[in-house]
Amino acid sequence: MTKMFTKSCRIARCFSIVVIVAGLAVGWSTAQAALSDGSTWEGELSIGEVGARLGPSLPWLLGMEGPRTYLVLVQNSHELRATGGFIAAVGRVSVDGGRLVDFDFQDSYALYSDRSTYPPAPQAMQQYMGIPLLVMRDANWSPDFPTTAQVARALYAQETGTKVDGVFTIDLNAVKRLIGALGALTVPGADEPITSDNIEQQVIHFWEKPVGTDTSIAGGMSGEWFGQRKDFIPAIAREALNRIQDGNVNYGALLTAVQTAMDERSIQIWVNNRQVQSVMAEARWDGGLHPQPGADFLAVVDTNMGYNKVDAAIERSLAYSVAWPEGPDQPALATVTISYTHPITTPDPGCDQSPRYGTSYADMIARCYFDYVRVFAPAGSELLKANGVGGESIISRSGERGTHEFAGFFVLAPDGEQQVSFTYRLPAGITPDNYRLLFQRQSGTQPLPLNLDVDGAEQSTTVAEGWLDWSAPQRHVKSG
């Protein structure tokens, strides 16, 4: 009995290590023995429920049936991209027999070779960013994470020869929640212990002045600074691993933090296992676009094309109205209006879009916002008009996963505001009596103020989690 308990704890510890590094939170039932210390579980799903769904797949996930390797996309939401942020770094985590056997992070810029052949970049990136080829750091163009994951997997295999078994995202919000559960971390070179309250400031400090060097961005971009500016990522991850390996962890708090991060889409999961992936999709943890037959669907996706970190400051709100002006049996008219505010007052003369680091991280925030905005609506929707984007940039075409896509490009200067709207006709069959809206908040964005007006029924809410389900005539709101 003691031997079995020790083995279960070892697997739980290994699994939690993978959670911290990669967000691999699908095998929660392996922590059951570790929770015997009196920790509590506060998630929406019980350990038993999750274990019942994934139990047969746990040996596969934890490398009990052979080594498994997972790819980690570390996303910087200060430079927003479709699945949550610019891919700043890429990690590789391998498990074998329930043990962590490999752990490595590298700058995403390192995953490029002028001897390799790459697919062409999406047309919008070519047109508005001057990027001809799709490389790892830009792999997350698709807002449907299972699609992005497979693009990243293929590019990583091409560069390294390693074909991974799964791909995960993790962003700063997820790191805050995980550190909050683990407790303060002492990282060599940091002026103070790293906590969930100061992690963002510490990360910026490490980026500006890498630990263990005399170089900094303030002195101008040098090869030494560029090569070490992201060394803090493995340093923080390593200290988190040490905390778990010491066994001084509240597993209940840790796993609850992971579930919260996944509900918020700060961690997204794709694995090359159909059974596991179906559970992830059902829980809405796969980061996918999920329109439903007969329902209205809305996802607004911003892509920062300015080579800057302006999304750290940008404020957003959204209004969505649906009406049936020609009668309840005729197609509805929908208008989505996205309001953007750039609160930084420092001017950016000329709105220079050229790639450059400047003299500080704050300098990269106090710039013009170059944004390519996409709206995903139900398949069969028809664009009637668009405002607030360049006329030549307006796109209307079939989208991914049974959606229709509208898009456009605009530039917002500091201390300015911009409203972007798309008005379109929804497909037939969506009526006032059967109306249901599925709204997906973009990963990497802050909680989003949302005002709904559907046939005169109004609702104001703030969407903090990854999705919102709004139905009529009960006018009932639930999120998760």
Side-chain angles (χ1 to χ4, degrees):
M1 181 69 179
T2 301
K3 185 179 293 186
M4 291 179 60
F5 177 82
T6 301
K7 183 177 180 181
S8 296
C9 285
R10 177 173 57 81
I11 295 173
R13 183 172 299 173
C14 170
F15 179 72
S16 296
I17 289 171
V18 179
V19 167
I20 284 295
V21 180
L24 179 55
V26 292
W28 296 0
S29 62
T30 59
Q32 202 159 11
L35 294 181
S36 62
D37 64 356
S39 304
T40 57
W41 172 261
E42 299 176 358
E44 293 180 359
L45 299 177
S46 71
I47 291 175
E49 288 173 322
V50 176
R53 297 182 191 182
L54 293 175
S57 302
L58 293 180
W60 185 92
L61 287 164
L62 293 174
M64 309 301 276
E65 299 173 353
R68 298 290 169 213
T69 299
Y70 302 104
L71 193 65
V72 190
L73 306 181
V74 181
Q75 299 189 131
N76 184 351
S77 54
H78 292 172
E79 185 175 353
L80 196 60
R81 296 294 176 90
T83 65
F86 177 73
I87 301 173
V90 177
R92 184 184 67 247
V93 179
S94 297
V95 292
D96 188 3
R99 293 181 180 276
L100 181 72
V101 295
D102 188 31
F103 161 61
D104 180 58
F105 279 89
Q106 61 186 131
D107 189 340
S108 60
Y109 279 82
L111 290 167
Y112 170 80
S113 170
D114 56 12
R115 296 186 299 274
S116 297
T117 301
Y118 299 95
Q123 181 59 38
M125 297 188 89
Q126 295 185 42
Q127 182 174 354
Y128 298 109
M129 299 183 77
I131 294 177
L133 302 175
L134 188 66
V135 296
M136 176 61 79
R137 58 184 178 269
D138 300 315
N140 56 349
W141 171 257
S142 170
D144 181 69
F145 182 65
T147 299
T148 277
Q150 293 177 70
V151 171
R153 183 189 191 214
L155 289 171
Y156 189 77
Q158 174 178 293
E159 295 302 317
T160 67
T162 300
K163 194 168 186 179
V164 298
D165 299 291
V167 184
F168 311 89
T169 68
I170 189 166
D171 66 15
L172 186 58
N173 180 63
V175 173
K176 287 180 181 179
R177 293 203 175 276
L178 295 172
I179 292 177
L182 285 173
L185 300 177
T186 301
V187 176
D191 296 333
E192 57 185 316
I194 291 180
T195 68
S196 59
D197 293 328
N198 69 15
I199 176 65
E200 187 167 352
Q201 291 75 23
Q202 289 290 328
V203 163
I204 290 173
H205 174 71
F206 288 151
W207 181 88
E208 291 181 332
K209 189 178 188 307
V211 173
T213 72
D214 294 326
T215 186
S216 73
I217 187 60
M221 194 186 84
S222 65
E224 183 182 9
W225 172 83
F226 186 85
Q228 299 184 48
R229 74 197 190 287
K230 297 178 184 178
D231 286 356
F232 64 86
I233 294 174
I236 294 173
R238 193 172 298 110
E239 290 306 311
L241 295 181
N242 291 340
R243 176 66 55 82
I244 295 172
Q245 289 172 330
D246 290 343
N248 185 23
V249 176
N250 182 328
Y251 284 96
L254 177 60
L255 298 179
T256 296
V258 171
Q259 175 165 341
T260 300
M262 291 194 297
D263 287 341
E264 295 170 337
R265 301 184 70 192
S266 292
I267 294 174
Q268 299 164 102
I269 301 171
W270 176 84
V271 293
N272 191 32
N273 180 301
R274 185 173 299 178
Q275 179 182 353
V276 173
Q277 200 56 30
S278 67
V279 176
M280 295 299 101
E282 182 182 355
R284 301 178 190 264
W285 294 337
D286 66 335
L289 294 174
H290 290 292
Q292 298 295 316
D296 194 3
F297 178 80
L298 178 62
V300 177
V301 177
D302 290 307
T303 297
N304 182 337
M305 294 189 159
Y307 300 99
N308 57 45
K309 311 301 180 188
V310 177
D311 285 290
I314 293 294
E315 299 168 358
R316 295 172 175 80
S317 64
L318 190 146
Y320 186 57
S321 64
V322 181
W324 286 262
E326 299 178 8
D329 296 329
Q330 299 301 310
L333 293 184
T335 298
V336 56
T337 302
I338 312 106
S339 299
Y340 301 85
T341 300
H342 194 330
I344 302 296
T345 58
T346 304
D348 183 13
C351 281
D352 183 4
Q353 191 185 4
S354 62
R356 66 196 194 282
Y357 285 101
T359 59
S360 68
Y361 199 89
D363 181 36
M364 299 188 72
I365 297 174
R367 295 184 187 172
C368 293
Y369 190 45
F370 299 83
D371 188 46
Y372 190 76
V373 56
R374 288 176 279 175
V375 171
F376 293 86
S381 296
E382 178 188 357
L383 181 65
L384 301 177
K385 64 179 179 179
N387 295 312
V389 293
E392 73 287 348
S393 72
I394 297 171
I395 294 292
S396 177
R397 60 189 171 200
S398 295
E400 302 177 54
R401 303 289 184 181
T403 64
H404 195 89
E405 175 188 344
F406 312 120
F409 179 77
F410 70 91
V411 180
L412 174 60
D415 201 23
E417 297 180 352
Q418 182 84 0
Q419 278 198 340
V420 173
S421 66
F422 295 89
T423 298
Y424 49 96
R425 184 176 288 113
L426 290 171
I430 298 176
T431 70
D433 290 337
N434 70 8
Y435 185 82
R436 178 190 180 199
L437 170 66
L438 293 174
F439 172 75
Q440 290 190 215
R441 181 178 63 84
Q442 184 178 4
S443 175
T445 58
Q446 294 297 313
L448 181 69
L450 172 64
N451 293 314
L452 297 175
D453 183 347
V454 178
D455 197 33
E458 298 183 4
Q459 175 74 46
S460 295
T461 187
T462 297
V463 183
E465 298 186 327
W467 63 279
L468 179 142
D469 191 332
W470 193 92
S471 298
Q474 295 83 2
R475 311 303 194 233
H476 174 66
V477 177
K478 69 176 183 177
S479 61

